[in-house]
Amino acid sequence: MIAMALAGEPDLLVADEPTTALDATIQAQILDLLARIRREAGMAVVFISHDLAAVSAVCDRAAVMYAGRIVEENDIATLFDAPRHPYTVGLFEALPELDGPRQRLCPSKALCPTRGTCPRAALSRPVAAEPAIFAARNAPFAAAGSRRRTRLLSPRPGPCRQAAPSRRNAGVGAMTTILKATDLFQHYATGKSLLRAPSMVRAVDGINLEVHEREILGVVGESGSGKSTLGRMLLGIEAPWSGSVTFQGKPMPHPKTAEWRALRREMQLIFQDPLAALDRRMTIADQIAEPLIIHRLAGPDAIRERAAELMRKVGLRADQAGRYPHELSGGQRQRVVIARALAMSPKFLVCDEPVSALDVSIQAQVVNLLRDLQEEQGLTMVFISHDLKVVRNLCDRVAVMYLGRVVEQGSADKIFGNPQHPYTRALVSSVPRPGKGIGERIILQGEPPNPARRPSGCAFHPRCPLADAACRSEVPALTLYRGRLTACLKLQAAAAPELT
Ligand SMILES: Nc1ncnc2c1ncn2[C@@H]1O[C@H](COP(=O)(O)OP(=O)(O)OP(=O)(O)O)[C@@H](O)[C@H]1O
Ligand code: SF4
Ligand SMILES: [Mg+2]
């Protein structure tokens, strides 16, 4: 797409969400590429994104839009150091961070034009009309109610952030395994034709995993590393090619059997693509109520009440009940999918990229909602995401996948605070930090891998900066290293003296 856009050697390139839903390493490559072509071709770039960190990595200036208008504009350094418009401040408060204390996020509510819901409106006096854009101190075009500037424009982070409860506070005591995957493989035969034998895509290639009761386990990794396939197998939606899954100590029944359908009441999936998951011909209230009707769990009145309660819980308004999916925003549709998944009061949720298409404010609402569900209802979750900052904020433990296998697994603090596997180190180093851009990045050589042509030995060796001859022939096993599991021969060798 970028090559096509550049073919006519334009003076201006408009890049509309070019990195949304990409994993961190590919995102960093695209950001590098944009910066390079801009430099080399002397071209102006308008970079449209809801990823503030990506904006800070590539842009000189940024304009913040709200309700169809620019509400603040400034150079990147000033904007990120001292945002002045309440909406901008709210956006920063909603951002999860890769380091620092884990905090409950502050979803920004609608601001100036509808000041009734402004989180800082309590500090201010009412205004009759929307304020005009004006030059504020240190901010050439900040638009905010000038009479209230001193009180409205508090420095970030704002007071509404609170420390996220630790797992101990969340009631997680002794580790009880609720779900266990043993030697899980999923291979798909693809590309078969009259002239060609099929090739085998090894989507999941030998995973052993335990999920503990009431924890949130994050699953991260490049696009195509097998995260969604793993999620479907954990729920029994797909039978594994080989290997087994047990839930609450019992083997997962075969998909679509009566036994499996009964179990699915306790295990739900929040789909990667809400529009594809919802029926365009049904109202959202009917879709939320549908699982209760199918399982005949209550009478019509009780079901209507439960659907209304679920809508409230996920932040949907009662007057939206009769709307169809295409009449909702992406964030609202995502909430419908979450409400539908919660209808059966499941014990176990697999969330597949539930926030990747959402802007930071709606993302913060969904992240807080999932955390509340874990704390209040003791839900266990597997949270699949490309967004490492959200995973760091929400998850207790993290499994990093590469080409169908787990290469590093441990507590979120250890994985993000001190990653050890060379792939995890590259992944974490690629994440842009708001206001700081991408720091010193470990650049992976070579192309993203093809699961139909898995490299010999350690599958990461063609891109690994530390690879040597042994890595090309020997398959590393997951072993304990510095308080987490890693699959790397070099780390195993380094750990050997420690273990003897
Ligand atoms: N039904 C299928 N038939 C053939 N190949 C498949 C099938 N489902 C997934 N794959 C392939 O398996 C690999 C893993 O896919 P999967 O969707 O699990 O990856 P992912 O990590 O979820 O990627 P993304 O981050 O892009 O969602 C990919 O190469 C994909 O093309
Ligand atoms: S085993 Fe070798 S190639 Fe694989 S991650 Fe370790 S050093 Fe890199
Ligand atoms: Mg996926």
Side-chain angles (χ1 to χ4, degrees):
M1 292 290 279
I2 292 177
M4 277 164 61
L6 294 176
E9 298 184 4
D11 293 327
L12 173 71
L13 176 71
V14 178
D16 191 354
E17 297 280 5
T19 58
T20 300
L22 294 181
D23 58 75
T25 52
I26 305 291
Q27 182 193 49
Q29 282 173 17
I30 301 279
L31 297 181
D32 282 354
L33 177 69
L34 280 173
R36 186 162 53 79
I37 53 182
R38 194 190 120 200
R39 217 174 30 245
E40 288 171 3
M43 174 195 307
V45 177
V46 175
F47 184 83
I48 301 169
S49 180
H50 58 238
D51 184 338
L52 296 179
V55 167
S56 81
V58 288
C59 302
D60 305 310
R61 280 188 307 129
V64 181
M65 286 189 72
Y66 180 78
R69 297 186 184 199
I70 290 176
V71 293
E72 184 165 357
E73 181 183 339
N74 215 324
D75 66 86
I76 287 292
T78 314
L79 187 79
F80 279 70
D81 275 353
R84 300 187 69 84
H85 190 279
Y87 178 66
T88 319
V89 174
L91 282 181
F92 284 115
E93 288 178 356
L95 270 187
E97 286 162 13
L98 201 58
D99 29 43
R102 291 214 271 173
Q103 289 179 314
R104 194 180 166 78
L105 304 172
C106 294
S108 156
K109 295 175 187 153
L111 298 169
C112 260
T114 52
R115 64 165 297 285
T117 51
C118 172
R120 286 176 167 66
L123 300 173
S124 61
R125 281 174 289 147
V127 282
E130 184 181 353
I133 206 154
F134 76 103
R137 193 159 37 92
N138 303 328
F141 302 105
S146 59
R147 283 176 295 153
R148 279 166 278 119
R149 190 173 61 193
T150 50
R151 279 207 275 175
L152 268 168
L153 308 178
S154 62
R156 72 181 173 101
C160 85
R161 283 213 174 191
Q162 305 155 8
S166 70
R167 299 188 66 219
R168 200 178 298 272
N169 292 343
V172 181
M175 304 283 191
T176 310
T177 299
I178 187 167
L179 184 135
K180 187 171 178 183
T182 310
D183 293 333
L184 219 49
F185 287 80
Q186 189 61 284
H187 293 181
Y188 300 110
T190 59
K192 188 179 173 199
S193 69
L194 287 175
L195 303 173
R196 267 186 60 188
S199 55
M200 284 310 243
V201 173
R202 294 158 75 163
V204 168
D205 207 37
I207 285 189
N208 291 287
L209 199 70
E210 288 190 9
V211 186
H212 304 135
E213 209 161 38
R214 306 182 76 165
E215 79 168 344
I216 306 183
L217 174 71
V219 178
V220 301
E222 276 177 332
S223 187
S225 57
K227 305 180 297 292
S228 297
T229 306
L230 173 68
R232 290 194 298 273
M233 285 194 292
L234 294 183
L235 291 177
I237 294 171
E238 253 179 52
W241 188 67
S242 75
S244 63
V245 175
T246 57
F247 181 66
Q248 294 182 319
K250 295 192 190 129
M252 182 66 64
H254 207 73
K256 309 274 161 49
T257 57
E259 205 188 336
W260 177 76
R261 284 205 180 89
L263 192 63
R264 273 305 300 278
R265 285 162 58 168
E266 299 187 11
M267 310 172 80
Q268 293 290 327
L269 173 65
I270 296 176
F271 288 88
Q272 188 162 2
D273 177 359
L275 200 54
L278 295 171
D279 188 333
R280 287 157 196 254
R281 294 157 307 173
M282 283 173 77
T283 66
I284 61 164
D286 286 349
Q287 300 201 54
I288 293 169
E290 193 184 31
L292 299 166
I293 297 168
I294 290 173
H295 290 278
R296 297 198 184 98
L297 289 189
D301 287 346
I303 287 178
R304 245 191 313 277
E305 228 168 81
R306 173 89 175 123
E309 180 200 331
L310 286 163
M311 284 184 60
R312 267 197 308 279
K313 185 167 252 164
V314 298
L316 289 165
R317 294 193 315 268
D319 64 295
Q320 292 168 328
R323 291 205 196 167
Y324 292 89
H326 69 272
E327 294 172 328
L328 299 176
S329 71
Q332 290 164 340
R333 281 196 288 266
Q334 191 60 269
R335 284 184 250 182
V336 176
V337 173
I338 294 174
R340 192 178 146 92
L342 297 179
M344 307 294 295
S345 304
K347 285 199 179 113
F348 182 78
L349 260 186
V350 173
C351 312
D352 193 355
E353 297 280 5
V355 294
S356 57
L358 308 180
D359 70 71
V360 288
S361 180
I362 305 294
Q363 172 184 284
Q365 286 176 29
V366 173
V367 168
N368 286 346
L369 171 70
L370 293 175
R371 194 199 307 285
D372 290 345
L373 289 167
Q374 181 210 25
E375 287 161 25
E376 291 161 14
Q377 296 181 19
L379 256 178
T380 306
M381 277 178 249
V382 171
F383 186 86
I384 298 169
S385 182
H386 286 305
D387 191 327
L388 300 190
K389 286 180 283 221
V390 171
V391 172
R392 157 68 166 71
N393 186 280
L394 186 65
C395 299
D396 303 302
R397 283 192 308 136
V398 179
V400 182
M401 283 184 70
Y402 188 82
L403 217 52
R405 292 192 185 161
V406 173
V407 295
E408 185 159 3
Q409 185 184 316
S411 74
D413 288 344
K414 282 207 168 78
I415 299 288
F416 293 117
N418 188 14
Q420 292 297 321
H421 191 281
Y423 173 63
T424 318
R425 294 174 78 123
L427 195 66
V428 173
S429 79
S430 303
V431 180
R433 268 73 159 175
K436 298 179 196 149
I438 301 175
E440 211 164 296
R441 182 158 80 86
I442 301 169
I443 297 171
L444 292 180
Q445 303 300 327
E447 291 298 306
N450 178 350
R453 284 200 293 276
R454 191 184 170 83
S456 60
C458 171
F460 185 54
H461 85 252
R463 301 167 79 196
C464 179
L466 306 179
D468 61 16
C471 303
R472 287 190 272 280
S473 56
E474 226 177 296
V475 180
L478 262 185
T479 46
L480 196 60
Y481 180 72
R482 295 195 172 170
R484 88 286 309 274
L485 296 168
T486 57
C488 171
L489 300 171
K490 290 269 164 79
L491 298 181
Q492 272 169 32
E498 287 173 27
L499 298 173
T500 50

